Amino acid sequence: MPVFLSTTDAGFEAAFVRLLSAKREDAPDVDAAVAGIIADVRDRGDAAVIELTAKFDRLELTPTTMAFSEAEIDAECAKVFDADRAALELAAERIRAYHTRQMPEDARWTDAAGAEIGWRWGPVDAAGLYVPGGLASYPSSVLMNAIPAKVAGVGRLVICCPTPGGAVNPLVLLAARLSGVDTVYRIGGAQAIAAMAYGTATIRPVDKITGPGNAFVAAAKRRVFGRVGIDMIAGPSEILVIADKDNDPDWIALDLLSQAEHDQSAQSILVTDDAAFGQAVAAAVEERLETLDRRDIAGASWRGYGAVIVTRDLDEAAALSNRVAPEHLELCVADPDALAERITHAGAIFLGRWTPEAIGDYVGGPNHVLPTARSARFSSGLSVMDFLKRTTIAKMTPGALAAIGPAAERLAISESLEAHGLSVRVRLDQLNRDDVT
Amino acid sequence: MPVFLSTTDAGFEAAFVRLLSAKREDAPDVDAAVAGIIADVRDRGDAAVIELTAKFDRLELTPTTMAFSEAEIDAECAKVFDADRAALELAAERIRAYHTRQMPEDARWTDAAGAEIGWRWGPVDAAGLYVPGGLASYPSSVLMNAIPAKVAGVGRLVICCPTPGGAVNPLVLLAARLSGVDTVYRIGGAQAIAAMAYGTATIRPVDKITGPGNAFVAAAKRRVFGRVGIDMIAGPSEILVIADKDNDPDWIALDLLSQAEHDQSAQSILVTDDAAFGQAVAAAVEERLETLDRRDIAGASWRGYGAVIVTRDLDEAAALSNRVAPEHLELCVADPDALAERITHAGAIFLGRWTPEAIGDYVGGPNHVLPTARSARFSSGLSVMDFLKRTTIAKMTPGALAAIGPAAERLAISESLEAHGLSVRVRLDQLNRDDVT
């Protein structure tokens, strides 16, 4: 059974802290193995990638067959049902529209001292997206990673996706095509991350790597960080639903289960100001768990990490949610906008009874790659910003340097950085001479 | 002697790649020691911090004396010369004005389907800044880290700064006060990072940790990443100057030396379209190295990692600079704005002959915490964004759900995520019933 807590219980605070700090994932320590794989790929390039793919994915590749050809992609895309294609196209269009609005603006202005300062944004040259194979090979994640990169203006965009035994999900290739991906490689694991970070004879290196993966992929991303940029290392999915009693318990139960079915380490929490409603939702979850396809996974998640928390009122619910800083937050209440004003930490907020979190996974527009494990306290979901970087700009006129240069010189001297001070001083001296002549 | 290269040399490409890939820093492997320190602080809290401070900083603290009192800060600030205070105040004011312009805007709009989507930004609750002790204890870095945090709206801002033997730089405390820092702790090293990440009885935990430090601090930041957010792990400083022949060689020599004097692992590169000018700058560097206070450090950096590269023209210079992706880039040419258009990767650009990089270290306004080691290819300098996070927003009306919900359901089914699809379906069914009745 999931945890049932009430904020009026004597032991509530301790129980809530236990819930907050429960370790849900025991990632195996594969770091040494991953270090070996990366070294091997750096050393032997294509040959290492081909051998490791034969070993882990039971697939014999050559440098020529590492990437899908256009004809192969055409053939796979042709297998997709029209309704699936239309749904994917709608999702792509909405994600593109949303992320286009995220593009930040350049700025440059002249201040009172006469200095021109500002910044400008530019895309990374090349990005690589990791797409897991098998069960967790989600075409929606291809859209969510690739479209922000293209919107940002990334010049070259590649995917690495393992195809164990040669099996591929046609929807993944269609999503890649709809997103404008240039090349899709049939490789996975730490070897794919190493190849994208360091390059091989066949695979050109990229500047940024994003996308989810297993423990090997996560460890490899940590190791190549610095050589290339990476996105976050995502943990198991989470949802927190704040719901009043005027919801259909079955709707809320399904919302909770839509995270639970991802992974047995996922976490679903209901916070409600009505104890009877909380019980009704828990009963509805049990009923749905009798028939759900993924009932083993969802049931293990709900029993292991699920929780129903009863609060005195909705303000208290918001305060608890902020301590959780959930990846996904649904506000199923009469005035969700008012409640949202009280939310300080959440990856994504879904407002009102007609906004199930699953909308955000596919077609809402916002990104579904979001901060997990309470990291919404300090980090954001994936966006165009992940594929852009900012260059700051400064341009002094002689007058501006005369106005602010002496302060720079003074501070340089106070920090014992003589050359810093002199680099300003020689220019100020020239200005003084110019004035005299 | 530094490397002299010309793009017309037969061996240029190989030599340039060697320059690009030269490993300038051999950080000692302190990870095991750091893991032990972090575990000790998590385990024993204040007692561990106090013991480690006695051991590493030769300073006996109690929980009460861990933080500077207001009276102690007053007394230290009173020691600062008026001219230094005025310079620090000017710097603070300019940094604040620049970073205030960086504040991103919230957005929310209703799209054609009737869905309300958008995002909003909010600050992290608490941030901790690490400030090194001793020689590298720069008051300017306090401003550059603390002011963006305050502009972002961070609620609580603390500093950890070791004071070996009790020695403190009054300018650091004044910079902290000018920036609005709440508390300054006299602790340093991995124990300070652990205390800020996990908290002790005396030190409340923070959500984000920024600021430079030695190998122990860097290793500790890597280890607490995920528990809290961190900024980049900065490497040795770098400058690349693109200069035509119409510069005073001594000015350019001083600009190169202003990075070289930071650290013997720093790197200074001159790229010029005039070989004779390149020689003249190299000669000017040697002359300045005879008298510079930090000539040992600057000389070691220049001889070990310095370079003069002669190009056919300025376009070629820009292309080479983009391959370096330097932390600092000076464009000392007749039309720096035109040349800047060709720059795709740089942490900060300094335009024209009157903008020595040192201006940017102190009073320009832009941040001086910038991406090193070629990471300007994919990352940006410190900004208010480092202390903010974005929450995405989605709100469906019944009509919006009817318009885009079926596509979400279809994609959920294609990904074998039944509960996702059902969470949409039960709501669509309700809408259908509502229509019928």
Side-chain angles (χ1 to χ4, degrees), chain A residues 276-295:
Chain A
F277 178 76
Q279 295 289 351
V281 170
V285 167
E286 294 304 329
E287 196 175 324
R288 286 287 181 179
L289 277 174
E290 286 172 22
T291 58
L292 204 64
D293 288 343
R294 297 169 71 114
R295 57 185 171 273

Side-chain angles (χ1 to χ4, degrees), chain A residues 77 80-97 139-140 143 147 171 174-179 362-365, chain B residues 403-404 407-408 410-411 414:
Chain A
C77 289
V80 175
F81 291 120
D82 284 349
D84 286 331
R85 173 187 287 268
L88 213 51
E89 282 172 348
L90 177 71
E93 182 192 316
R94 292 185 57 85
I95 295 163
R96 190 174 295 116
S140 57
L143 303 181
I147 291 174
L171 281 164
L174 179 58
R177 182 158 276 178
L178 292 176
S179 312
Y362 298 111
V363 297
Chain B
I404 67 175
R410 182 91 204 176
L411 290 170
S414 81

Side-chain angles (χ1 to χ4, degrees), chain A residues 111-129:
Chain A
D111 65 22
E116 266 185 58
I117 48 181
W119 63 79
R120 61 179 210 207
W121 294 90
V124 301
D125 285 340
L129 315 181

Side-chain angles (χ1 to χ4, degrees), chain A residues 84 98 108 111 118 120 207 227 255 258 261 293 337 343 346 377 381 390-391 395 410 418 420, chain B residues 84 94 98 108 118 120 207 227 258 261 293 337 343 346 377 381 390-391 395 410 418 420 427:
Chain A
D84 286 331
Y98 181 90
R108 188 159 164 177
D111 65 22
R120 61 179 210 207
D207 302 296
R227 170 81 189 194
D255 297 353
S258 73
E261 74 175 345
D293 288 343
D337 282 291
I343 300 300
R377 292 177 296 124
R390 187 184 49 244
T391 297
K395 184 180 186 181
R410 182 92 204 176
E418 185 191 11
H420 283 67
Chain B
D84 286 330
R94 292 185 58 85
Y98 181 91
R108 187 158 164 177
R120 61 178 209 207
D207 302 296
R227 169 81 188 194
S258 74
E261 74 176 344
D293 287 344
D337 282 291
I343 300 300
R377 291 177 296 124
R390 187 184 48 245
T391 297
K395 183 180 186 181
R410 182 91 204 176
E418 186 191 11
H420 284 66
R427 289 166 166 97

Side-chain angles (χ1 to χ4, degrees), chain B residues 346-435:
Chain B
I349 304 181
F350 302 88
L351 292 159
R353 312 189 200 285
W354 297 98
T355 318
E357 184 278 330
I359 285 293
D361 282 335
Y362 298 110
V363 297
N367 211 286
H368 78 194
V369 180
L370 293 165
T372 57
R374 308 189 59 220
S375 64
R377 291 177 296 124
F378 54 80
S379 64
S380 311
L382 199 70
S383 76
V384 295
M385 311 292 274
D386 289 279
F387 301 97
L388 295 168
K389 63 270 183 332
R390 187 184 48 245
T391 297
T392 61
I393 306 279
K395 183 180 186 181
M396 299 297 127
T397 56
L401 191 71
I404 67 175
E409 183 188 23
R410 182 91 204 176
L411 290 170
I413 292 167
S414 81
E415 292 185 353
S416 303
L417 294 173
E418 186 191 11
H420 284 66
L422 286 171
S423 72
V424 176
R425 172 49 47 197
V426 289
R427 289 166 166 97
L428 292 175
D429 285 346
Q430 179 65 42
L431 288 178
N432 290 334
R433 280 193 298 276
D434 290 349
D435 273 356

Side-chain angles (χ1 to χ4, degrees), chain B residues 49 74 165 201 221 241 279 316 396 419 436:
Chain B
V49 171
D74 288 342
K221 279 170 67 181
V241 179
Q279 296 289 351
E316 195 176 51
M396 299 297 127
V436 171

